[in-house]
């Protein structure tokens, strides 16, 4: 039977219509044709093989998805060139910053606090100078002549390294009193008749807000030291709302507080002067729960237990002197210290950037509705 089949095939191949030149091509093409038929035909496959192939394909597609998703998130991160409004002067949260926040947990929040004209915006602009020049607007000559401040509410900027900077309006600013007296603004139920009382309470609320939502709060001042400002910081710590009362094992969150002296003179850098400043802050904030000894200082190495004290000389952009080079070195050291600080959890559950924004909204509502703030405002003279 086998011989017959071979004869029949050979007879078919040796058709007289085909010439001799095409016969070798048919001999070569025929096995190729048979192989294609075997690949295309449906053959019985065991269930284990079928499921195994399916699992292989699913695992490969899942691995491809895992590999491509982080890349997609990184490429979608919008790069900011200037700050935007995070909260207005009436303590209303803006929605625009939400477009620049993402669902990832590796981020750092740095806020600035200080009186008018001490250089809060300047310091933050120097810290973000690697990403864009003059990110936060600073006071111009017109601001100095009119006595107005250039930051109202809170300004927002996030870097590519996911560091969020918050620049607040000046605390206890006389220009805010003038603005409130000149324009008829809608008052909340916690407002009082006395304008100065409203101003101080609003400044305390801004400070308590930063204590709740920032990993680091930079307290900027241009001279040493105002006792009223120190009392202000202590009062804001008292008015800070509790993070949670549900978990008894959870330790209440408090941020790192950095004392930054801007526009420092040459004599301020003397070891005796620095020791005097350290001794003062150690005594005043001895009972504070704020993290004031995190190693955010001017030393080259970060050592836990060192007071968070940093001095920046006066900025002279028109003069390229040795002081300017030292200033750049200090700013770079300050940036590295800030980026390397330990980050405590703000609440028992982990927060992503977007969840942090919603947490911010809840904190602000809690501060506005706080009975402690209302009672403190009524007791103020």
């Amino acid at each position: 039977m086998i011989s017959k089949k071979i004869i029949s095939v050979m007879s078919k191949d040796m058709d007289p219509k085909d010439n001799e030149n095409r016969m070798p091509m048919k001999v070569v093409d025929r096995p190729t044709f048979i192989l294609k038929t075997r690949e295309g035909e449906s053959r019985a496959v065991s269930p284990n093989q079928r499921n195994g192939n399916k699992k292989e394909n699913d695992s490969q597609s899942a691995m491809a998805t895992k590999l491509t998703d982080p890349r997609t998130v990184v490429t979608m991160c919008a790069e900011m060139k200037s700050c935007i409004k995070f909260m207005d002067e009436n303590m209303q949260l803006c929605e625009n910053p939400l477009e620049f926040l993402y669902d990832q947990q590796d981020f750092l929040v740095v806020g600035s606090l200080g009186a008018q004209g001490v250089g809060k915006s300047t310091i933050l602009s120097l810290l973000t100078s690697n990403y864009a020049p003059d990110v936060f607007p600073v006071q111009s000559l017109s601001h100095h002549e009119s006595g107005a401040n250039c930051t109202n509410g809170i300004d927002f900027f996030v870097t590519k390294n996911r560091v969020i900077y918050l620049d607040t309006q000046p605390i206890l600013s006389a220009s805010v009193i003038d603005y409130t007296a000149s324009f008829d603004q809608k008052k909340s139920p916690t407002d009082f008749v006395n304008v100065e009382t409203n101003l101080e309470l609003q400044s305390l609320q801004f400070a308590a807000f930063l204590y709740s939502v920032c990993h680091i709060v930079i307290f900027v001042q241009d001279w040493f030291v105002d006792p009223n400002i120190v009392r202000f910081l202590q009062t804001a710590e008292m008015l800070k709302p509790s993070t949670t009362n549900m978990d008894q094992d959870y330790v209440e969150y408090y941020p790192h507080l950095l004392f930054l002296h801007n526009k420092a003179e040459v004599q301020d850098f003397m070891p005796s002067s620095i020791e005097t400043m350290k001794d003062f802050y150690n005594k005043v904030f001895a009972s504070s729960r704020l993290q004031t000894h995190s190693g955010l200082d001017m030393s080259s190495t970060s050592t836990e237990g060192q007071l968070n004290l940093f001095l920046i000389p006066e900025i002279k952009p028109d003069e390229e002197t040795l002081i300017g080079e030292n200033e750049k070195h200090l700013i770079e050291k300050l940036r590295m210290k800030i980026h390397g600080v330990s980050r405590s959890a703000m609440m028992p559950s982990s927060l992503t950037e977007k969840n942090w924004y919603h947490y911010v909204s809840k904190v602000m509502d809690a501060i506005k509705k706080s009975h402690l703030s209302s009672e403190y405002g009524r007791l103020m003279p």
Side-chain angles (χ1 to χ4, degrees), residues 47-62:
N48 292 335
Q49 290 178 347
R50 188 183 299 111
N51 294 335
N53 293 336
K54 186 177 180 182
K55 288 179 181 178
E56 253 186 38
N57 295 333
D58 292 344
S59 62
Q60 288 177 359
S61 61

Side-chain angles (χ1 to χ4, degrees), residues 113-263:
L113 193 66
Q116 183 174 353
V118 296
K120 303 182 304 299
S121 303
T122 302
I123 294 297
L124 293 187
S125 292
L126 290 173
L127 290 173
T128 55
S129 59
N130 291 348
Y131 304 96
D134 301 327
V135 170
F136 295 93
V138 298
Q139 283 188 332
S140 61
L141 182 60
S142 60
H143 290 100
H144 287 285
E145 291 176 348
S146 60
N149 57 288
C150 59
T151 304
N152 294 317
I154 299 179
D155 291 337
F156 167 93
F157 182 83
V158 57
T159 68
K160 291 186 295 184
N161 292 334
R162 315 318 299 165
V163 180
I164 300 172
Y165 289 94
L166 302 178
D167 184 22
T168 60
Q169 69 180 27
I171 59 175
L172 307 175
S173 173
S175 62
V176 178
I177 297 179
D178 295 338
Y179 178 81
T180 306
S182 301
F183 299 95
D184 185 15
Q185 295 183 345
K186 183 179 179 180
K187 294 185 177 182
S188 63
T190 58
D191 284 344
F192 303 95
V193 178
N194 192 344
V195 178
E196 288 79 6
T197 302
N198 281 330
L199 169 66
E200 184 172 350
L201 186 61
Q202 185 189 47
S203 298
L204 287 169
Q205 288 176 338
F206 270 114
F209 170 77
L210 291 185
Y211 285 168
S212 302
V213 304
C214 293
H215 295 105
I216 302 174
V217 176
I218 304 177
F219 173 61
V220 186
Q221 53 185 338
D222 55 359
W223 65 294
F224 178 80
V225 61
D226 188 351
N228 293 325
I229 298 297
V230 174
R231 181 186 61 84
F232 174 88
L233 294 176
Q234 294 171 334
T235 306
E237 180 183 355
M238 178 187 67
L239 297 180
K240 174 186 176 295
S242 177
T243 305
T244 178
N245 295 323
M246 301 296 293
D247 191 355
Q248 295 181 356
D249 297 332
Y250 176 72
V251 179
E252 183 65 26
Y253 173 76
Y254 286 91
H256 302 276
L257 181 62
L258 169 61
F259 304 103
L260 191 146
H261 288 260
N262 192 25
K263 306 175 185 178

Side-chain angles (χ1 to χ4, degrees), residues 77-93:
C77 288
E79 184 177 350
M80 299 183 67
K81 294 298 183 183
S82 61
C83 64
I84 60 175
K85 190 61 64 181
F86 185 76
M87 184 181 296
D88 61 16
E89 60 274 7
N90 295 321
M91 306 183 76
Q92 297 296 325
L93 196 62

